[in-house]
Amino acid sequence: MNSTDSPPRSTAPLCARPLCAGPLTVLGIDVTSAPGRRKPLACAAGILQADTLHIDRLHAVTALHGLPRHTGANTPWQAEMLLCAPPASLEHLLAHKGPWIAGFDMPFGLPAAFLHWWQQAQRDSRTPLRKAAPLCEPASELPCWQDYVSSLAQLDKEAFRQTIYAFMNTRPAGHKLPLRLTDAQTAAQSPLRLNYVPVGRMFHALVPLLASCGINIPLLRPTADSRTAIEVYPALAARAVLGNPPRYKDGTGAQRQQRTQARAALLEALPEYCRTIGGLALSVRPQLYQTMLQDTAGDFADALLCAVLTALAVRRRDAGMPPVPHLRMYHEGCIALQDMFCPPQPHGSGTTAPA
């Protein structure tokens, strides 16, 4: 597609069912690809009721797979239980009945450049890893999200890593890690990155779980399920409150005190920011602030930001997806509320992501 073309439209539904109008369980999940006791999935759990988001719990989820034994006859795990006991695993969290909506800080899809290369690799079994990937790709003829997620899920960690590197070897210097459209518009990392912020590993470890459990995923796989998952990016809210870059987590020992002060400023300013940007009242149990303040990694603060962005998305049409999504977003995915934080660019500058 030429850079001057307007974004193609699609008649495909963004979200197969309206989100719950009454009290709704909201989850914000900061992701790691290999959760454990030292580095769990951080989850902020609460209830969105009318104009108020009540955050009642912070959970540390230490595994991806595994269901606890239960005594219920049919479906023992209700959405309200997510506000009480911590889920035993991500699989257990996803097994809870709806209605609930969860915002995950991870990419749900991969860039069009990789998808075209991957699709060609599947068609040409003789030379699947040698065909060069073009720098610009048409939005049509991309593989279905469910299909490519299921196919890549069959690869183990090492095979997935080697596949990404094989793709990168077909690309010129400076174009090794292409972006999705939504990444380019929000200054997010490439979903193919395997180190530093290893969002590629997050995709490979977690997204197949989302794809296999039948939940509603706007744009990518809309269903009538009362459980919904969306992709959120806490840096959008953190930048708006603290400026860019929003340095409120990690850092060296000498920076810890300054980063702690920045987290305190973020947590203090967040309720007023929610009221200003979306008319949302934020209520957080006081003892949870101390947990977020003392978490030097900032994972629980990010989980809160994910929950806030998820609640703001619920209050908008189509769970925070763009009013007119680009066709590629039905394959690559889209960060919720990107148009709220990053207004769409004029045609000719925002229709094609940089490679």
Side-chain angles (χ1 to χ4, degrees), residues 240-259:
V241 175
L242 296 178
N244 192 28
R247 295 191 173 97
Y248 62 98
K249 54 187 179 180
D250 297 321
T252 65
Q255 296 170 329
R256 289 283 173 87
Q257 183 176 359
Q258 186 178 16
R259 301 289 169 92

Side-chain angles (χ1 to χ4, degrees), residues 107-294:
F108 281 10
L110 298 177
F114 175 84
L115 296 180
H116 277 284
W117 176 86
W118 170 255
Q119 185 164 251
Q120 183 61 40
Q122 301 306 294
R123 290 173 179 170
D124 189 354
S125 59
R126 293 169 299 176
T127 56
L129 301 180
R130 296 181 181 177
K131 188 173 182 63
L135 295 184
C136 297
E137 304 78 17
S140 60
E141 299 183 0
L142 288 170
C144 166
W145 176 81
Q146 182 80 41
D147 290 345
Y148 77 76
V149 169
S150 299
S151 182
L152 290 168
Q154 298 175 25
L155 304 178
D156 62 23
K157 293 179 182 179
E158 180 59 21
F160 178 73
R161 186 178 75 88
Q162 291 297 334
T163 299
I164 298 299
Y165 284 143
F167 165 76
M168 292 170 62
N169 287 339
T170 71
R171 309 276 291 181
H175 300 277
K176 300 290 188 181
L177 294 172
L179 303 175
R180 301 174 297 167
L181 282 175
T182 193
D183 303 319
Q185 294 166 357
T186 58
Q189 298 279 349
S190 168
L192 300 177
R193 181 173 290 280
L194 298 175
N195 52 23
Y196 183 53
V197 182
V199 287
R201 298 182 190 274
M202 297 175 192
F203 166 86
H204 184 247
L206 278 73
V207 171
L209 272 172
L210 301 182
S212 65
C213 69
I215 66 176
N216 174 41
I217 304 177
L219 284 182
L220 295 174
R221 205 266 311 279
T223 72
D225 201 290
S226 61
R227 303 165 297 163
T228 297
I230 60 174
E231 181 181 340
V232 294
Y233 189 30
L236 292 179
R239 290 172 194 158
V241 175
L242 296 178
N244 192 28
R247 295 191 173 97
Y248 62 98
K249 54 187 179 180
D250 297 321
T252 65
Q255 296 170 329
R256 289 283 173 87
Q257 183 176 359
Q258 186 178 16
R259 301 289 169 92
T260 299
Q261 292 171 348
R263 275 197 306 283
L266 173 66
L267 297 173
E268 181 179 358
L270 194 56
E272 180 59 32
Y273 178 75
C274 290
R275 279 192 290 269
T276 301
I277 192 172
L280 178 71
L282 175 63
S283 172
V284 181
R285 292 175 63 184
Q287 56 267 43
L288 301 184
Y289 277 112
Q290 197 62 29
T291 300
M292 291 184 282
L293 195 62
Q294 295 175 351

Side-chain angles (χ1 to χ4, degrees), residues 79-103:
E80 306 83 66
M81 296 175 65
L82 290 166
L83 305 178
C84 305
S89 66
L90 177 60
E91 181 184 12
H92 180 209
L93 184 156
L94 297 174
H96 284 74
K97 291 183 63 178
W100 55 256
I101 181 170

